[in-house]
């Protein structure tokens, strides 16, 4: 066999759908987990520096942020292993298996494993749609804050109106209602919007939101490819025809 035939044989056994989904999933999870982790840290610093004076007023928020950061560690580890398993399952149902090991034989264990991947991937896709929606909340909050700051900058000639424009962290549930001051108004709020903590936190939440969207797209791609692979796997048990997804 020549080099060209060997290369074509190898390329013919690559599960391209699963490979693309794996790259998308790695990229999305890296964005969501990395940027989300740092955004939570910057949020804690932003609240501490500009919205509260007493440490006890935001101690609950600190614990919640730490909890979510631990969840992020677990998500990153889980999806790394799960994507590798899905990619391996994709390779299993390609022509590489037949060309390497001879006549294909579908087993009950293989079909059961493929159907389990379909169910798990579908459930994860639904859950990540919820995560995607949840990750839009901080983007919405910071967008409103940015719009308020822009209004303050426009109304610089009317100080009385400026002082009525505020962002209250307590109404978003970030702080208890007894927290002091709990909000920033007027020129103080405009100054907050120009700080490094604010700009970085806003950008990180946008990146995390985009990462969640990419992950949803990857899981939907996995759902399609694993469903196709399962159908081909059953067909291979009778006909020996190779899969390409």
């Amino acid at each position: 066999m020549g080099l060209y035939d060997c290369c074509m044989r190898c390329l013919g056994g690559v599960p391209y759908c699963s490979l693309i989904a794996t790259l998308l999933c790695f990229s999305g999870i890296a964005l969501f987990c990395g940027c989300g982790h740092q955004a939570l840290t910057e949020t804690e610093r932003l609240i501490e520096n500009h919205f509260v004076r007493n440490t006890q007023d935001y101690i609950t928020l600190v614990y919640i942020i730490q909890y979510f950061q631990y969840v992020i560690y677990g998500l990153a580890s889980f999806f790394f292993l799960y994507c590798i398993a899905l990619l391996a399952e994709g390779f299993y149902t390609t022509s590489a298996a037949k060309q390497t090991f001879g006549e294909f034989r579908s087993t009950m264990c293989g079909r059961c494993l493929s159907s389990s991947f379909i169910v798990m991937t579908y459930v994860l896709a639904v859950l990540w749609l919820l995560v995607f929606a949840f990750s839009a909340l901080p983007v919405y909050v910071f967008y409103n804050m940015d719009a308020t700051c822009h209004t303050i900058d426009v109304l610089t000639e009317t100080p009385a109106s400026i002082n009525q424009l505020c962002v209250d962290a307590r109404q978003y549930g970030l702080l208890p209602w007894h927290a002091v001051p709990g909000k920033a108004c007027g020129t103080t709020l405009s100054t907050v919007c120009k700080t490094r903590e604010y700009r970085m936190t806003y950008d990180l939440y946008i990146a995390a939101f985009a990462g969640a969207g990419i992950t949803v797209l990857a899981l939907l791609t996995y759902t399609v490819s694993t469903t196709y692979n399962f159908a081909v796997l059953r067909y291979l048990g009778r006909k020996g025809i190779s899969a390409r997804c």
Side-chain angles (χ1 to χ4, degrees):
M1 181 181 295
L3 179 61
Y4 176 80
D5 292 334
C6 183
C7 290
M8 289 299 100
R9 184 180 186 184
C10 292
L11 292 175
V14 175
Y16 293 104
C17 292
S18 297
L19 183 60
I20 292 172
T22 300
L23 295 176
L24 285 174
C25 192
F26 282 165
S27 301
I29 289 298
L31 269 177
F32 179 80
C33 293
C35 294
H37 182 279
Q38 188 60 33
L40 290 173
T41 301
E42 294 297 330
T43 299
E44 179 183 344
R45 186 176 293 115
L46 186 68
I47 294 294
E48 178 183 4
N49 293 338
H50 303 287
F51 288 91
V52 292
R53 298 184 187 135
N54 188 354
T55 305
Q56 296 300 320
D57 289 338
Y58 70 97
I59 191 66
T60 302
L61 178 64
V62 173
Y63 289 140
I64 294 175
I65 287 176
Q66 290 177 351
Y67 170 77
F68 276 109
Q69 287 177 333
Y70 287 132
V71 171
I72 285 174
Y73 298 147
L75 281 176
S77 302
F78 169 78
F79 271 94
F80 176 78
L81 296 175
Y82 189 69
C83 289
I84 293 297
L86 286 176
L87 184 60
E89 191 268 346
F91 273 105
Y92 172 69
T93 53
T94 58
S95 59
K98 178 182 176 181
Q99 293 170 354
T100 303
F101 300 107
E103 188 65 24
F104 187 89
R105 288 291 181 271
S106 176
T107 64
M108 182 64 69
C109 181
R111 291 194 296 270
C112 180
L113 185 63
S114 295
S115 60
S116 298
F117 276 131
I118 293 174
V119 175
M120 288 183 62
T121 306
Y122 180 80
V123 172
L124 286 174
V126 173
L127 291 177
W128 268 94
L129 283 173
L130 299 177
V131 173
F132 180 62
F134 178 77
S135 63
L137 293 179
V139 177
Y140 174 75
V141 171
F142 276 85
Y143 174 79
N144 286 340
M145 186 173 177
D146 191 65
T148 305
C149 290
H150 178 71
T151 303
I152 292 173
D153 292 337
V154 172
L155 300 176
T156 52
E157 297 180 357
T158 55
S161 300
I162 290 176
N163 291 330
Q164 296 177 1
L165 297 175
C166 302
V167 170
D168 195 338
R170 296 170 297 187
Q171 70 179 3
Y172 296 111
L174 299 177
L175 295 172
W177 284 106
H178 60 78
V180 178
K183 63 181 180 178
C185 302
T187 55
T188 301
L189 177 60
S190 180
T191 302
V192 173
C193 290
K194 295 175 183 177
T195 60
R196 184 196 67 85
E197 294 94 343
Y198 171 78
R199 299 311 312 179
M200 179 178 291
T201 306
Y202 191 11
D203 293 340
L204 287 171
Y205 275 124
I206 292 174
F209 175 69
I214 294 173
T215 305
V216 170
L217 179 61
L219 289 172
L220 292 176
T221 306
Y222 271 134
T223 302
V224 173
S225 64
T226 51
T227 303
Y228 173 79
N229 287 341
F230 176 71
V232 172
L233 190 65
R234 292 184 60 117
Y235 190 59
L236 284 174
R238 298 190 301 269
K239 298 296 184 181
I241 296 177
S242 59
R244 294 293 180 187
C245 190

